[in-house]
Each structure stands twice: as structure tokens, then as C-alpha cells.
Amino acid sequence: MAKSSIQKVGEILVLIGAIISLIFGIIRLIPGIGWSIFPIFWGWGLELIFGIIVIIVSLITLATSGFINLPWKLEKNWIMLLILGIILFIFGGDIGAILVIIGAILLIFK
């Protein structure tokens, strides 16, 4: 079955969003530079933990979308990608997380 153009756009948004969230996670690990649109004011230790979580969830999102091959691959459907996007947003994936969420919503349409 051929994919619609909306699904292709959704997959591209999920891919770009996961890569951007991965970059945000790496930036959070750098002391004093840990930048976020929605900053956390609870100290650098929590920034470190949240950065690691964002990196791991971003890698899981990339594996689930089929971009990289990891053993943490989940079933590829819109609800799983939506959940991963929400988790990314909660832990500081920022713009990348929003792109993953929008991409997951677009994958609903066939």
C-alpha cells in the first residue's frame, strides 16, 4: 500500500524532531550551556539526568521510526511515536519533541 504525502511528511517530521531532540539532550549535558526553551531551575544535576533521558528517548524514537538499528526498537505506529514525543517534551526535547508529536498526529491519516 502506497503512503500518502501526509504520512511521508509525518515521518520526516518525526525524524527531524528526534534528531533535534538528540541535539538538545547533548547540549543539556554541557554545564553552563544547558539551554532549553522551557528551562529547569532545579540545578545542574537534574539537567544532567533530563539530558540523558532525552538522549535515550531520542535514540529510541529514531530506532522506532526505522532510521537507526537498535535493539530498543518499539512497534512503529502513530500512538507509540506520540507517546515518545510526549515523553521527550516532558523531559526537555523542546522543539524536536513538538515536531515528533506533530509528525505522529500526521501519521494517523492514511
Side-chain angles (χ1 to χ4, degrees):
M1 184 164 86
K3 294 180 184 177
S4 69
S5 59
I6 293 176
Q7 283 184 320
K8 289 178 185 176
V9 170
E11 288 180 356
I12 291 171
L13 286 176
V14 168
L15 177 65
I16 292 171
I19 292 170
I20 291 173
S21 290
L22 181 65
I23 293 168
F24 272 98
I26 293 169
I27 289 173
R28 278 184 175 266
L29 297 180
I30 302 170
I33 301 179
W35 180 82
S36 175
I37 290 176
F38 308 108
I40 300 172
F41 299 106
W42 301 317
W44 187 76
L46 198 58
E47 285 283 335
L48 179 69
I49 293 169
F50 279 21
I52 292 170
I53 291 171
V54 168
I55 290 170
I56 291 170
V57 176
S58 296
L59 290 174
I60 292 171
T61 305
L62 287 170
T64 301
S65 65
F67 186 66
I68 59 175
N69 190 14
L70 290 176
W72 310 314
K73 189 177 196 178
L74 303 172
E75 182 180 344
K76 183 180 178 183
N77 57 27
W78 70 271
I79 192 75
M80 191 60 64
L81 292 171
L82 182 65
I83 291 169
L84 289 169
I86 292 170
I87 292 171
L88 281 172
F89 187 75
I90 290 171
F91 287 104
D94 294 334
I95 297 170
I98 293 171
L99 290 176
V100 171
I101 292 170
I102 292 170
I105 291 170
L106 289 178
L107 288 175
I108 295 172
F109 304 106
K110 293 184 178 183

